[in-house]
Amino acid sequence: MNIAVVGMGYVGLTAGTCLAESGNQVVGVDVDREKIAKLNQGELPIYEPGLSELMENNLRSGRLEFSTDLVRAIHTSQIIFIAVGTPQGPDDLPMIDQVETIARQVVEQMPDYRLIVIKSTVPVGTTVRLEKELSLLTETPFDIASNPEFMKEGYAVEDFLRPDRVIIGSENPRVIAVLEELYLPFVRNGKPIIVMDPTSSEMTKYAANAMLSTKISFINELANLCDRMGGDIDLVRRGICSDSRIGYQFLYPGLGFGGSCFPKDLAALSKMAKLAGYPAPLLNAVLEVNRVQKQSLQRKICDYYGDDLRNKIFAIWGVTFKPRTDDIRESPALGLVADLLAAGARVRVSDPRGMDNLRKVFGNRVGYCVNMYDALAGADGLCLVTEWNEFRNPDYKKMLELMRKAVIFDGRNVYNPIKTRSRGFDYFGIGRK
Ligand SMILES: NC(=O)c1ccc[n+]([C@@H]2O[C@H](COP(=O)([O-])OP(=O)(O)OC[C@H]3O[C@@H](n4cnc5c(N)ncnc54)[C@H](O)[C@@H]3O)[C@@H](O)[C@H]2O)c1
């Protein structure tokens, strides 16, 4: 099939590349000329494991190309996926003006029938509303479907090639047949393609992110109880997660959830609920627990050193919102760095992939260390923010030699408290008093 994917971010670039990998002819479209130029040279503008090789293969085979020319893409493609960003707006609802503009352009420019597929996360009811509005603009037949994306950054290629499920939001048999055929190569392992109406499909995306965020805030709330009442959250975690009704996934205590999806999607769902006349107390509590959780290390540092951090130096290991990505959107590191600087401290960071993005936010107000140990020289504390594998088994002897004050604020419970203390460090984790 000839396919256009509009929006070459984490989602669109991965989806487009994987669709080319399964034999389709794909054009990836973006408004960012610099990005498109890089992509056409085989250069990846983001870090996503496994994507570079796949993209190169498909560029070489001629199944994948990149362009800024949306009109040409509309003419040459039967299916147009919309995968542009839908960032949180000032009213907490996602801004979907780009999604709407592209959909409008498709119906205005299409020479004959086209299928528009909305992959971006959009408010519940958008596809049905757009279908009505767009049909007023054209006599030419078209269809529009919802097809939310569930990939995880860091595992996006794996998730797209072998998804847990594919959701098709359409009640039109012709659309369902086309999309089932398109996705069949990715569900040979027996995982389901679930067909539903577009509104349920849009709600499914929000529901999935709300459930996962709720698990994170739940375990963090229990960790906070352990901090105050005693008990070790890691033991409690093992105690509850071994129950098959509960399970282990997404129940890791830490600094809360970040990234471009969970915080934005939860805020959007909460706002949509409010507009629908339902106050959604659970969703709001999940967000509030997360807001406070992201400040955990700041509080522990102030408990240890007091509020005035002038003349103190802090090393931060990990600035991305999770490992295996360069994405720092909504990362707890952003608030931590800002608060430490505001309290007069000096900050040095080390991260395998996220430092270029952090530099765009903090410029030269922060020191950037390619070597993780360089960040520790003369430091009064180490803050572990992102659990990259390379931080898991450090050279403790070297750390003791380098640091002015051997204290670790472990935001991901990566280190063993007893062993770390026996090695000569003061140690503060999450829920491990
Ligand atoms: N990042 C994730 O892990 C993830 C997972 C599932 C769903 N989503 C959703 O998918 C959507 C895309 O997310 P993302 O993280 O890939 O976004 P992103 O910010 O990484 O990329 C968006 C891209 O769209 C391009 N763009 C914006 N307006 C455009 C236009 N008019 N025409 C062409 N290109 C345009 C931008 O230049 C950018 O390259 C969002 O709705 C997001 O909520 C994201």
Side-chain angles (χ1 to χ4, degrees):
M1 281 184 237
N2 286 340
I3 295 170
V5 180
V6 189
M8 288 290 96
Y10 290 88
V11 168
L13 187 53
T14 308
T17 304
C18 293
L19 288 168
E21 177 69 11
S22 64
N24 299 289
Q25 189 65 40
V26 176
V27 53
V29 181
D30 204 287
V31 280
D32 186 335
R33 289 182 181 283
E34 209 179 307
K35 194 179 257 190
I36 292 297
K38 268 190 185 168
L39 285 169
N40 274 321
Q41 284 162 12
E43 215 181 298
L44 212 59
I46 52 168
Y47 172 69
E48 188 57 54
L51 186 55
S52 182
E53 300 83 333
L54 212 61
M55 191 179 88
E56 268 171 41
N57 286 345
N58 285 284
L59 272 174
R60 224 178 298 123
S61 73
R63 282 194 302 272
L64 180 63
E65 59 166 324
F66 299 102
S67 169
T68 54
D69 191 346
L70 177 60
V71 175
R72 188 173 66 87
I74 294 168
H75 276 257
T76 56
S77 313
Q78 300 148 273
I79 308 178
I80 291 104
F81 279 88
I82 302 180
V84 297
T86 49
Q88 189 169 343
D91 58 357
D92 281 351
L93 291 175
M95 296 197 280
I96 59 162
D97 49 315
Q98 294 305 308
V99 173
E100 294 177 332
T101 306
I102 294 159
R104 222 176 295 122
Q105 263 184 289
V106 174
V107 296
E108 284 168 355
Q109 302 288 342
M110 59 188 184
D112 43 35
Y113 173 82
R114 291 292 180 269
L115 168 57
I116 302 168
V117 182
I118 302 185
K119 199 161 246 323
S120 300
T121 305
V122 294
V124 178
T126 300
T127 307
V128 169
R129 176 177 60 77
L130 272 182
E131 180 158 31
K132 282 194 196 122
E133 290 174 12
L134 296 174
S135 56
L136 301 175
L137 302 177
T138 182
E139 293 290 307
T140 312
F142 75 93
D143 286 311
I144 181 164
S146 160
N147 170 225
E149 183 51 57
F150 297 92
M151 65 175 58
K152 306 179 286 294
E153 284 177 27
Y155 296 88
V157 172
E158 232 167 286
D159 285 349
F160 198 93
L161 294 178
R162 280 174 289 279
D164 283 339
R165 80 317 213 163
V166 173
I167 303 283
I168 296 177
S170 171
E171 292 176 304
N172 180 330
R174 174 171 61 175
V175 172
I176 296 165
V178 169
L179 291 179
E180 278 182 340
E181 193 186 338
L182 192 67
Y183 276 110
L184 206 60
F186 307 121
V187 292
R188 296 222 172 272
N189 52 6
K191 292 292 167 76
I193 295 179
I194 305 171
V195 179
M196 58 182 76
D197 65 276
T199 304
S200 301
S201 163
E202 290 159 348
M203 182 60 102
T204 300
K205 174 64 196 170
Y206 282 107
N209 280 355
M211 179 72 220
L212 295 170
S213 316
T214 301
K215 290 178 93 174
I216 296 172
S217 278
F218 172 79
I219 199 74
N220 282 335
E221 182 138 301
L222 287 182
N224 294 337
L225 292 183
C226 286
D227 259 345
R228 286 157 183 80
M229 294 157 59
D232 182 328
I233 191 64
D234 266 27
L235 298 174
V236 175
R237 181 189 125 74
R238 284 167 57 195
I240 60 169
C241 294
S242 50
D243 184 327
S244 60
R245 293 169 301 176
I246 297 174
Y248 287 89
Q249 286 195 329
F250 266 78
L251 286 168
Y252 291 95
L255 295 177
F257 52 83
S260 67
C261 290
F262 286 7
K264 150 180 97 86
D265 291 351
L266 227 67
L269 187 55
S270 164
K271 183 60 187 254
M272 285 186 276
K274 201 169 164 199
L275 292 174
Y278 179 71
L282 179 61
L283 298 180
N284 295 327
V286 169
L287 278 169
E288 179 55 17
V289 169
N290 196 57
R291 186 187 66 76
V292 175
Q293 195 67 20
K294 283 171 123 179
Q295 298 161 351
S296 303
L297 290 193
Q298 290 90 309
R299 278 196 305 279
K300 286 175 197 285
I301 290 169
C302 289
D303 285 349
Y304 190 83
Y305 278 121
D307 292 339
D308 185 355
L309 299 177
R310 276 174 296 182
N311 303 320
K312 298 276 184 288
I313 300 174
F314 289 93
I316 296 182
W317 281 359
V319 299
T320 53
F321 84 93
K322 65 175 182 179
R324 293 171 65 92
T325 182
D326 59 351
D327 199 342
I328 62 163
R329 290 179 281 185
E330 299 285 332
S331 167
L334 295 172
L336 177 61
V337 172
D339 287 352
L340 289 174
L341 291 175
R346 281 166 58 198
V347 175
R348 285 195 220 112
V349 302
S350 185
D351 186 288
R353 297 285 171 177
M355 289 199 290
D356 287 348
N357 281 332
L358 198 83
R359 203 187 297 270
K360 290 177 197 156
V361 180
F362 290 103
N364 58 13
R365 289 191 291 148
V366 167
Y368 302 89
C369 305
V370 174
N371 182 321
M372 63 197 237
Y373 295 103
D374 289 349
L376 296 176
D380 298 283
L382 164 65
C383 305
L384 191 287
V385 172
T386 320
E387 66 279 30
W388 286 93
N389 275 341
E390 36 271 78
F391 300 144
R392 286 184 184 274
N393 282 309
D395 182 338
Y396 293 101
K397 208 163 150 263
K398 194 166 171 177
M399 291 169 72
L400 283 173
E401 283 164 16
L402 285 166
M403 294 177 77
R404 180 160 61 185
K405 180 94 178 128
V407 47
I408 297 178
F409 301 95
D410 180 357
R412 301 292 175 183
N413 288 358
V414 161
Y415 305 116
N416 179 308
I418 297 169
K419 282 191 190 160
T420 310
R421 286 184 188 122
S422 73
R423 286 178 171 124
F425 293 86
D426 282 349
Y427 174 87
F428 301 91
I430 305 288
R432 300 168 120 185
K433 191 167 187 164

